Amino acid sequence: KTRISRYWGQVWGKDVWTYASLEYNLQAYQIEIEDASKAKTRMQLASEQLLLGASVYQANWTAFVEGGFVFDRHVRFGGSVPSFGINDALMLRIGALY
Protein backbone atom coordinates (compact mmCIF):
# COMPACT_ATOMS: atom_id res chain seq x y z
CA LYS A 1 0.00 0.00 0.00
CA THR A 2 1.47 3.32 -1.12
CA ARG A 3 0.22 6.43 0.68
CA ILE A 4 1.00 10.14 0.56
CA SER A 5 -0.39 12.18 3.48
CA ARG A 6 -0.68 15.87 4.37
CA TYR A 7 -1.23 17.07 7.93
CA TRP A 8 -3.34 20.25 8.09
CA GLY A 9 -3.02 20.86 11.83
CA GLN A 10 -5.73 21.04 14.43
CA VAL A 11 -9.23 22.17 13.55
CA TRP A 12 -11.58 22.58 16.56
CA GLY A 13 -9.13 20.52 18.63
CA LYS A 14 -8.94 17.60 16.19
CA ASP A 15 -5.99 16.55 14.01
CA VAL A 16 -6.93 16.70 10.31
CA TRP A 17 -5.19 14.74 7.53
CA THR A 18 -5.78 14.28 3.80
CA TYR A 19 -4.17 11.52 1.76
CA ALA A 20 -3.93 9.72 -1.54
CA SER A 21 -3.21 6.01 -1.75
CA LEU A 22 -2.67 3.32 -4.34
CA GLU A 23 -3.02 -0.24 -3.13
CA TYR A 24 -3.09 -3.76 -4.46
CA ASN A 25 -5.78 -5.75 -2.67
CA LEU A 26 -5.68 -9.56 -2.68
CA GLN A 27 -8.14 -11.84 -0.86
CA ALA A 28 -8.33 -15.64 -0.87
CA TYR A 29 -11.21 -17.93 0.08
CA GLN A 30 -12.05 -21.63 0.27
CA ILE A 31 -15.48 -21.99 -1.38
CA GLU A 32 -17.97 -24.69 -2.34
CA ILE A 33 -19.41 -24.59 -5.87
CA GLU A 34 -23.15 -25.37 -5.91
CA ASP A 35 -23.44 -27.86 -8.77
CA ALA A 36 -23.79 -31.63 -9.11
CA SER A 37 -20.21 -32.24 -7.93
CA LYS A 38 -20.38 -30.11 -4.74
CA ALA A 39 -16.69 -29.39 -5.38
CA LYS A 40 -14.62 -27.31 -2.98
CA THR A 41 -12.01 -25.03 -4.54
CA ARG A 42 -9.88 -22.02 -3.78
CA MET A 43 -10.82 -18.55 -5.04
CA GLN A 44 -8.63 -15.45 -5.27
CA LEU A 45 -10.07 -11.94 -5.68
CA ALA A 46 -7.58 -9.25 -6.75
CA SER A 47 -7.97 -5.52 -7.43
CA GLU A 48 -6.12 -2.23 -7.42
CA GLN A 49 -7.52 0.87 -5.71
CA LEU A 50 -6.67 4.54 -6.19
CA LEU A 51 -8.17 6.54 -3.30
CA LEU A 52 -8.33 10.12 -2.01
CA GLY A 53 -9.40 10.59 1.59
CA ALA A 54 -9.58 12.72 4.71
CA SER A 55 -9.39 11.68 8.33
CA VAL A 56 -9.92 13.34 11.70
CA TYR A 57 -8.23 12.13 14.92
CA GLN A 58 -8.99 13.04 18.51
CA ALA A 59 -7.70 11.22 21.61
CA ASN A 60 -9.15 7.71 21.22
CA TRP A 61 -11.28 7.94 18.05
CA THR A 62 -10.79 8.41 14.32
CA ALA A 63 -13.27 9.18 11.53
CA PHE A 64 -12.53 9.00 7.81
CA VAL A 65 -14.07 9.34 4.37
CA GLU A 66 -12.41 8.21 1.15
CA GLY A 67 -13.38 7.76 -2.45
CA GLY A 68 -11.72 6.65 -5.61
CA PHE A 69 -11.45 4.17 -8.41
CA VAL A 70 -11.18 0.35 -8.24
CA PHE A 71 -9.66 -1.24 -11.33
CA ASP A 72 -7.91 -4.33 -12.71
CA ARG A 73 -10.33 -6.59 -10.81
CA HIS A 74 -10.34 -10.31 -11.48
CA VAL A 75 -11.33 -13.57 -9.84
CA ARG A 76 -9.23 -16.71 -10.21
CA PHE A 77 -10.12 -20.23 -9.14
CA GLY A 78 -8.05 -23.32 -8.49
CA GLY A 79 -9.04 -26.41 -10.47
CA SER A 80 -11.39 -26.45 -13.44
CA VAL A 81 -13.58 -23.42 -12.64
CA PRO A 82 -12.95 -20.64 -15.22
CA SER A 83 -11.57 -17.27 -14.08
CA PHE A 84 -13.30 -14.00 -14.92
CA GLY A 85 -12.85 -10.22 -14.71
CA ILE A 86 -15.02 -7.61 -12.99
CA ASN A 87 -15.68 -4.13 -14.45
CA ASP A 88 -13.90 -1.10 -13.02
CA ALA A 89 -15.93 0.89 -10.49
CA LEU A 90 -16.05 3.97 -8.30
CA MET A 91 -15.84 3.46 -4.53
CA LEU A 92 -16.88 5.50 -1.49
CA ARG A 93 -15.93 4.34 2.00
CA ILE A 94 -16.66 5.99 5.36
CA GLY A 95 -15.87 4.78 8.83
CA ALA A 96 -15.08 5.44 12.45
CA LEU A 97 -12.72 3.73 14.89
CA TYR A 98 -12.92 3.94 18.64
Side-chain angles (χ1 to χ4, degrees):
K1 181 175 184 177
T2 303
R3 185 171 177 157
I4 299 170
S5 301
R6 166 92 160 101
Y7 178 63
W8 294 95
Q10 288 200 337
V11 178
W12 296 307
K14 296 162 188 66
D15 294 312
V16 177
W17 291 81
T18 55
Y19 55 89
S21 67
L22 177 63
E23 64 182 76
Y24 177 71
N25 189 6
L26 183 64
Q27 301 170 10
Y29 304 94
Q30 180 77 24
I31 63 169
E32 186 173 314
I33 305 293
E34 291 290 331
D35 65 2
S37 68
K38 297 277 187 189
K40 289 187 178 179
T41 188
R42 283 174 264 170
M43 181 184 90
Q44 177 179 295
L45 173 62
S47 67
E48 295 191 45
Q49 302 173 358
L50 177 61
L51 302 171
L52 300 175
S55 58
V56 177
Y57 300 92
Q58 182 179 18
N60 55 357
W61 65 267
T62 302
F64 67 90
V65 60
E66 55 190 22
F69 189 59
V70 183
F71 58 99
D72 193 25
R73 299 192 301 171
H74 51 272
V75 178
R76 293 189 178 115
F77 295 94
S80 62
V81 179
S83 300
F84 61 91
I86 302 173
N87 291 337
D88 298 341
L90 297 176
M91 180 174 80
L92 176 65
R93 183 166 42 193
I94 61 172
L97 305 168
Y98 178 76

